[in-house]
Amino acid sequence: LILYIFGVLSLFGGTFGRATCGWACPIGALQDLIGKKAKYRDVKKLRPFRYVKYILLIFTLILSYLLSEKVFCDYCPIGFLTGTIPTLIIMPGFVKPLEPFFIIKIILTFGFFILVLSIVRGWCKYICPIGAQLSLFNKISLVKITYDESKCSFCYMCRRVCPMGIDPMRETDSPECIRCGRCVEICPQKALKFELRKPYVR
C-alpha cells in the first residue's frame, strides 16, 4: 500500500503533476462526457470544500492500513460501474445485492452522478483522494504550464474553459490544475504553454 500510494503515484506526480487527472483518469473521462450538461463550472461558496479530498486521502490511507484492504478501490463509483456490475452479469451469485457493501456502492454511485451533473469535474474538485495525492506535486513537477504576460491579450478565454474553475493566468501551479491543456489549446496568443521546469539555482 505504501509503495503503491507514495511510490507509483509520487513518480507520476513528480513528473507530470496532476496531469493524470486530465489525461488518463477514467473517472475524469466520464465526467467530461456527462459533465457537458453540468449547470455550474465553479461555485465560489463551495471552494472551501475542496479540502475535503485531502481529509479523505488521510482517512483512506489509515483505513486501508487498518483493514488491509484497498478501501478507495472498493467504494469508487468507477469500480462499481466497471467491476461490480459486469461481475453481477457474468457471475450473478458472486455479489449479493442486499449486502451493506453493495448498497453503499449504489448510494455513492448515485451521489457521484448527481455531483458531476451539477458541477463540472465535481468529483475531482471535492472528493477524489488520488487527485489530492497528485496535487501535492503540482508546484514541483517536471512538466508544468507557463504563462507569458507579454503575449497575453487578456481575452480571459483560458478562464472560461478551465474545468477546475481556476485562473490559468495566475494559478498555473495551483494544486487544482489538472494539466488538461485546454487553456493552452484555446489561447489565441500562445501565452500559455507546456514546459519542463527549470532547476532552481540560487
Side-chain angles (χ1 to χ4, degrees):
L1 174 65
I2 292 175
L3 286 175
Y4 176 73
I5 296 296
F6 295 103
V8 176
L9 291 182
S10 295
L11 175 63
F12 279 100
T15 306
F16 304 106
R18 207 175 164 184
T20 302
C21 304
W23 292 85
C25 177
I27 302 181
L30 180 60
Q31 289 181 94
D32 286 341
L33 287 173
I34 67 178
K36 294 177 181 179
K37 297 183 180 295
K39 187 175 181 181
Y40 302 104
R41 181 168 293 276
D42 188 33
V43 181
K44 290 185 179 180
K45 291 182 179 180
L46 294 180
R47 286 193 177 186
F49 288 96
R50 295 191 179 205
Y51 293 103
V52 169
K53 60 181 173 284
Y54 298 100
I55 297 173
L56 289 175
L57 171 62
I58 296 171
F59 178 75
T60 299
L61 288 171
I62 294 173
L63 203 58
S64 295
Y65 176 77
L66 293 175
L67 299 176
S68 297
E69 294 285 345
K70 301 183 292 296
V71 174
F72 175 71
C73 296
D74 289 340
Y75 291 97
C76 171
I78 294 301
F80 179 78
L81 295 172
T82 62
T84 305
I85 291 179
T87 300
L88 279 173
I89 295 172
I90 298 170
M91 297 180 289
F94 188 76
V95 178
K96 296 180 180 179
L98 294 180
E99 287 185 351
F101 168 79
F102 187 82
I103 294 172
I104 291 172
K105 293 194 83 166
I106 290 177
I107 294 171
L108 290 176
T109 302
F110 271 108
F112 165 77
F113 281 108
I114 291 171
L115 177 62
V116 301
L117 285 170
S118 301
I119 303 173
V120 174
R121 285 269 181 166
W123 173 268
C124 301
K125 290 172 182 171
Y126 308 115
I127 305 296
C128 184
I130 303 299
Q133 164 74 20
L134 292 170
S135 73
L136 301 176
F137 295 91
N138 265 12
K139 291 186 182 297
I140 62 171
S141 62
L142 180 63
V143 177
K144 68 171 188 172
I145 293 176
T146 60
Y147 166 65
D148 187 346
E149 186 176 358
S150 65
K151 295 181 179 179
C152 184
S153 61
F154 301 98
C155 63
Y156 304 115
M157 292 176 68
C158 56
R159 291 183 186 177
R160 291 195 288 271
V161 299
C162 178
M164 297 300 288
I166 64 174
D167 181 358
M169 297 163 62
R170 296 185 302 167
E171 303 175 279
T172 53
D173 276 343
S174 167
E176 295 300 316
C177 177
I178 57 174
R179 305 282 201 264
C180 64
R182 293 181 192 179
C183 58
V184 175
E185 183 180 17
I186 203 168
C187 180
Q189 306 300 326
K190 305 302 179 186
L192 291 156
K193 61 180 179 179
F194 281 104
E195 283 189 347
L196 295 180
R197 192 181 300 274
K198 297 177 183 178
Y200 176 74
V201 180
R202 282 184 179 272

